[in-house]
């Protein structure tokens, strides 16, 4: 997925514990599909660290559905990189 922010959001939606241990947010794994790898892994498959308890069985991959892709694009569009009166960004 190339973009680190995009990958983080996908992992966080799939299971928040992957990137935010102790998070109380529920997993949204239903937005993802586990499928058998045919020839090569899919370009948009989630990248799990070796031995991760969240990784699928060998020979399988987790890929986002169209709904997951759309949700992550929306979340990325919400980025606020400018100061707000109630939340100034230190310079």
């Amino acid at each position: 997925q190339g973009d680190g922010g995009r990958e983080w959001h996908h992992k966080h939606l799939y299971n928040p514990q992957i990137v935010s241990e102790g998070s109380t947010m529920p997993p949204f794994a239903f937005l993802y599909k586990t499928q058998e790898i045919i020839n090569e892994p899919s370009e948009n498959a989630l990248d799990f660290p070796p031995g991760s308890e969240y990784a699928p069985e060998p020979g399988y991959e987790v890929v986002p559905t169209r709904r997951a892709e759309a949700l992550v694009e929306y979340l990325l569009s919400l980025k606020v990189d400018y100061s707000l009166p109630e939340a100034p960004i230190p310079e």
Side-chain angles (χ1 to χ4, degrees), residues 9-63:
H9 279 292
H10 277 296
K11 287 179 180 177
H12 192 248
L13 286 170
Y14 180 69
N15 190 318
Q17 300 303 317
I18 296 170
V19 292
S20 299
E21 191 174 327
S23 172
T24 58
M25 179 176 145
F28 289 86
F30 65 90
L31 291 172
Y32 296 82
K33 185 170 113 178
T34 300
Q35 63 187 21
E36 188 174 6
I37 298 172
I38 307 295
N39 298 325
E40 295 289 320
S42 300
E43 188 177 300
N44 61 344
L46 300 188
D47 183 27
F48 296 94
S52 169
E53 64 184 286
Y54 304 103
E57 294 179 33
Y60 287 82
E61 63 186 0
V62 175
V63 294

